Amino acid sequence: MLLARREISVTLIEQHRFPREKVCGECVSAMGWEVLGRVGLSKRIGAVEMTRGVLWGPSGRSAEIGLPGGMWGISRASLDSVLLEAAREAGVEVLQPARVEDHGQDARGTWIRVRDLRTNGVETVWCEVVLLADGKGMMGGLKRQATRDFGIKAHFELPGGARDTVQLFGVRGCYGGVAPIEGGLFNVACSVPRERIERARDVEAVFEEMVGENRGLAEVMRGAKRVSSWLAAPLPRFGVRGDWPVGVIPVGNAAAALEPIGGEGMGLAMRSAELAAEGILRGQDLRVVQRKLQGEFRRLWNKRRMLWRGVAMMVSRPVLCEMAVDVLRVSEVGEWVMRWGKGTAAEAAPTNSKT
């Protein structure tokens, strides 16, 4: 969208039909909301603002923190559809549903081979640069090894559920979150070890097991009605690498993936895309742009990766989770962590106002 607004020819290749759901915590961080505001889309997205966070220990004891800068709940079906429509309005050519099956370079430049999933026809598209936003980095040798953890998610109706609060629940070996989204619904998303799923052989059974291990989660889910199917997908975790293929700039989870417990994945994805657009618009040699973006992406991701991985390991250990509840009740550690996140978002703000 940003490139097309500057009269650059852009082709978007999307293999899924929209609207569609996908595994996601469906929380937009303050960083992401700032990006949406800068590009003029925040008012088009019917997101639910959250100002509070609550951590629940397995015993049912809890601690509350404020969310400096806020957080917004929105389903991926809604958010992605708005973003796609905005790209079309900016003049982006959209191939959907279509799949990239190969790419390479020759004397004429970079090419990608695209299959139309409606007709099964194949065409070759030539370009100056490929922006890889497939969520996993599958192009040009960027494939990452999956972790032993899975993300699961479903939508629920929750009687009396808090509409201004994102809630986090610690369980043995895993954790779950509950956040409001549009339409009066709530998104329930969890990080679960593969072993739990293999043992139970059913995602619903895994979640029921988690509900039985956290009294706070059991109370929140009392009277709940699931209104969507459970979805599951492997959770990636990896840092920014320096071996991007020639002509390829990965963004979002194709560039790096951090622990989802912080709810920053979508914000980082949009901010990295904004930075990529700014880099391309500078008109420098693409190899120079890649190197600069790698440095900017490391500043975005590295500290957050360590922080949220540590928080996840703590919350998924019952004794440590209960200790964390005690600490949060008597100190401002939680709000300090959130302010730190807000601060780094401000540090990453764009310097090119024209973009």
Side-chain angles (χ1 to χ4, degrees), residues 233-307:
L235 284 179
R237 279 194 299 270
F238 57 87
V240 178
R241 290 171 51 177
D243 57 348
W244 294 356
V246 176
V248 176
I249 296 175
V251 295
N253 269 15
L258 76 173
E259 192 77 39
I261 197 169
E264 293 200 272
M266 287 195 289
L268 286 167
M270 289 187 284
R271 178 59 183 140
S272 64
E274 189 180 38
L275 286 168
E278 292 171 359
I280 292 169
L281 290 169
R282 282 195 288 265
Q284 297 173 315
D285 180 86
L286 184 56
R287 289 169 295 183
V288 174
V289 173
Q290 286 181 310
R291 287 195 296 270
K292 288 184 177 180
L293 284 174
Q294 286 164 359
E296 292 175 318
F297 285 8
R298 290 189 181 101
R299 286 190 288 275
L300 277 180
W301 263 283
N302 284 0
K303 290 183 179 179
R304 288 178 169 88
R305 286 185 62 238
M306 293 185 291
L307 171 67

Side-chain angles (χ1 to χ4, degrees), residues 53-309:
V54 175
L55 173 63
W56 293 85
S59 68
R61 297 166 59 251
S62 65
E64 179 181 317
I65 64 171
L67 300 178
M71 185 172 283
W72 285 260
I74 183 73
S75 71
R76 289 300 295 271
S78 177
L79 175 64
D80 294 352
S81 295
V82 169
L83 294 176
L84 181 64
E85 184 59 30
R88 280 198 177 101
E89 291 171 0
V92 173
E93 179 186 6
V94 179
L95 305 181
Q96 182 189 33
R99 182 175 62 233
V100 175
E101 297 193 337
D102 196 9
H103 98 291
Q105 283 200 326
D106 61 23
R108 290 173 292 177
T110 298
W111 56 267
I112 55 176
R113 192 156 293 129
V114 182
R115 183 177 299 277
D116 187 320
L117 297 180
R118 297 166 301 179
T119 66
N120 208 36
V122 177
E123 68 171 310
T124 299
V125 177
W126 295 89
C127 57
E128 294 182 42
V129 59
V130 174
L131 289 163
L132 179 61
D134 66 350
K136 48 189 178 291
M138 296 293 288
M139 180 182 289
L142 286 177
K143 183 177 180 180
R144 313 302 188 187
Q145 184 175 1
T147 67
R148 295 288 296 178
D149 297 328
F150 270 71
I152 64 173
K153 91 92 176 267
H155 291 163
F156 287 81
E157 294 177 353
L158 296 181
R163 300 293 293 171
D164 65 344
T165 306
V166 57
Q167 303 184 71
L168 179 64
F169 303 86
V171 180
R172 176 180 50 83
C174 48
Y175 59 86
V178 175
I181 58 173
E182 76 278 9
L185 299 178
F186 289 80
N187 181 50
V188 176
C190 310
S191 171
V192 182
R194 178 189 296 268
E195 291 75 14
R196 278 209 183 214
I197 295 177
E198 291 176 342
R199 185 179 68 249
R201 297 181 178 275
D202 180 72
V203 174
E204 178 78 30
V206 170
F207 183 66
E208 290 177 355
E209 195 175 69
M210 294 177 67
V211 171
E213 294 179 21
N214 187 297
R215 294 180 182 177
L217 182 57
E219 182 61 31
V220 169
M221 299 304 297
R222 193 183 305 279
K225 177 184 178 182
R226 182 163 57 85
V227 296
S228 75
S229 300
W230 280 105
L231 300 179
L235 284 179
R237 279 194 299 270
F238 57 87
V240 178
R241 290 171 51 177
D243 57 348
W244 294 356
V246 176
V248 176
I249 296 175
V251 295
N253 269 15
L258 76 173
E259 192 77 39
I261 197 169
E264 293 200 272
M266 287 195 289
L268 286 167
M270 289 187 284
R271 178 59 183 140
S272 64
E274 189 180 38
L275 286 168
E278 292 171 359
I280 292 169
L281 290 169
R282 282 195 288 265
Q284 297 173 315
D285 180 86
L286 184 56
R287 289 169 295 183
V288 174
V289 173
Q290 286 181 310
R291 287 195 296 270
K292 288 184 177 180
L293 284 174
Q294 286 164 359
E296 292 175 318
F297 285 8
R298 290 189 181 101
R299 286 190 288 275
L300 277 180
W301 263 283
N302 284 0
K303 290 183 179 179
R304 288 178 169 88
R305 286 185 62 238
M306 293 185 291
L307 171 67
W308 296 122
R309 182 58 179 156

Side-chain angles (χ1 to χ4, degrees), residues 289-344:
V289 173
Q290 286 181 310
R291 287 195 296 270
K292 288 184 177 180
L293 284 174
Q294 286 164 359
E296 292 175 318
F297 285 8
R298 290 189 181 101
R299 286 190 288 275
L300 277 180
W301 263 283
N302 284 0
K303 290 183 179 179
R304 288 178 169 88
R305 286 185 62 238
M306 293 185 291
L307 171 67
W308 296 122
R309 182 58 179 156
V311 171
M313 294 175 67
M314 175 186 65
V315 170
S316 59
R317 288 162 173 77
V319 173
L320 295 181
C321 186
E322 296 288 352
M323 292 173 60
V325 170
D326 288 334
V327 171
L328 291 175
R329 284 183 164 188
V330 299
S331 74
E332 297 182 353
V333 170
E335 294 188 15
W336 178 87
V337 169
M338 300 308 295
R339 283 196 298 271
W340 179 88
K342 173 67 175 176
T344 52

Side-chain angles (χ1 to χ4, degrees), residues 1 3-4 8-12 91-94 131:
M1 180 185 66
L3 294 173
I8 291 179
S9 175
V10 181
T11 300
L12 181 91
V92 173
E93 179 186 6
V94 179
L131 289 163

